[in-house]
Amino acid sequence: DTGVSQDPRHKITKRGQNVTFRCDPISEHNRLYWYRQTLGQGPEFLTYFQNEAQLEKSRLLSDRFSAERPKGSFSTLEIQRTEQGDSAMYLCASSGTGKRYEQFFGPGTRLTVL
Amino acid sequence: GQQLNQSPQSMFIQEGEDVSMNCTSSSIFNTWLWYKQDPGEGPVLLIALYKAGELTSNGRLTAQFGITRKDSFLNISASIPSDVGIYFCAGQLGSGGSNYKLTFGKGTLLTVNP
């Protein structure tokens, strides 16, 4: 399968714990994006990487959130001291650098904070 | 954050009927994309539009990029049960910097009665 993959698919944690999600983009794509989706809403942009450089962070990304893409391939999204309001689907997408910027999404990680 | 206005919010139709949904924005976009999302999965790209006035088809799906660059619509002809899902529109400015992020609508939930 050469699509975007995410791990884990589901995560249940207790409030105050740290969690880390991983995203593996389509291999030839150098742009990688993280989005968050809550029930009944469309995905909302969190952050974006071009190669290993993090080029933009949304105001939604509080200080408890950090994302990395150390070698310009896979990316991790960490949430520290989770809160119940962090419960959501976390989606990763990737795109190439041609004129056409279609983003292809992974299956998402569903986070539940108890 | 900003979200696009997508309508209708939901549709319940009979198999074989045609479907039309649209998306409007207060600001212009240079790319419009339509995605379909099944429960518990990530969005799947259906159609991408790059030019104002462009009309693009993908099988039974047809989408148009509005001339004002502030709207787009999606038509599905001869619906079948597997068309069930949530359809999202997304706009993108493109061409550098933060313009690659996608802004999504809230989605149209489509139910098809066999």
Side-chain angles (χ1 to χ4, degrees):
Chain A
D1 185 9
T2 58
V4 178
S5 61
Q6 292 186 247
D7 183 69
R9 293 293 309 275
H10 304 275
K11 178 70 177 179
I12 300 173
T13 191
K14 292 183 179 179
R15 190 173 52 186
Q17 297 295 304
N18 300 343
V19 294
T20 300
F21 310 140
R22 176 180 170 124
C23 171
D24 287 89
I26 293 171
S27 58
E28 63 268 27
H29 285 178
N30 67 341
R31 293 197 183 114
L32 186 148
Y33 312 79
W34 286 98
Y35 293 83
R36 182 172 69 185
Q37 186 178 26
T38 53
L39 201 61
Q41 303 293 318
E44 292 182 290
F45 171 79
L46 292 178
T47 190
Y48 143 64
F49 290 85
Q50 180 158 317
N51 299 312
E52 65 275 9
Q54 187 173 17
L55 297 186
E56 187 182 1
K57 294 193 290 186
S58 161
R59 288 174 298 171
L60 293 174
L61 214 64
S62 76
D63 291 344
R64 297 184 296 105
F65 287 69
S66 63
E68 294 184 342
R69 195 183 182 198
K71 296 183 179 180
S73 56
F74 72 91
S75 175
T76 58
L77 177 68
E78 181 183 17
I79 309 174
Q80 295 182 326
R81 305 181 302 281
T82 52
E83 302 172 356
Q84 287 185 325
D86 296 331
S87 295
M89 173 79 94
Y90 289 84
L91 293 162
C92 175
S94 70
S95 72
T97 55
K99 286 184 71 174
R100 310 225 149 181
Y101 310 120
E102 296 107 340
Q103 292 181 24
F104 297 90
F105 283 81
T109 294
R110 168 73 65 189
L111 173 66
T112 302
V113 182
L114 302 176
Chain B
Q2 178 195 7
Q3 283 202 327
L4 305 177
N5 297 312
Q6 193 170 345
S7 66
Q9 286 186 326
S10 62
M11 302 181 74
F12 188 93
I13 63 170
Q14 295 296 120
E15 184 177 357
E17 289 183 354
D18 297 344
V19 170
S20 184
M21 58 192 79
N22 67 71
C23 199
T24 60
S25 170
S26 57
S27 54
I28 64 172
F29 288 104
N30 293 315
T31 301
W32 283 91
L33 304 105
W34 286 90
Y35 289 87
K36 178 176 181 278
Q37 188 175 30
D38 293 329
E41 299 293 331
V44 174
L45 181 64
L46 299 174
I47 291 181
L49 301 153
Y50 296 96
K51 191 175 177 181
E54 178 182 358
L55 187 71
T56 297
S57 293
N58 178 9
R60 294 178 296 106
L61 277 61
T62 302
Q64 185 158 25
F65 191 142
I67 293 174
T68 64
R69 295 196 286 163
K70 291 184 179 182
D71 62 345
S72 178
F73 72 77
L74 175 71
N75 283 348
I76 305 173
S77 62
S79 57
I80 58 178
S82 62
D83 291 333
V84 164
I86 303 176
Y87 290 79
F88 289 100
C89 61
Q92 185 185 54
L93 281 173
S95 300
S98 65
N99 296 332
Y100 295 121
K101 66 184 177 187
L102 296 178
T103 300
F104 280 84
K106 289 189 175 184
T108 294
L109 173 61
L110 177 64
T111 304
V112 179
N113 191 31

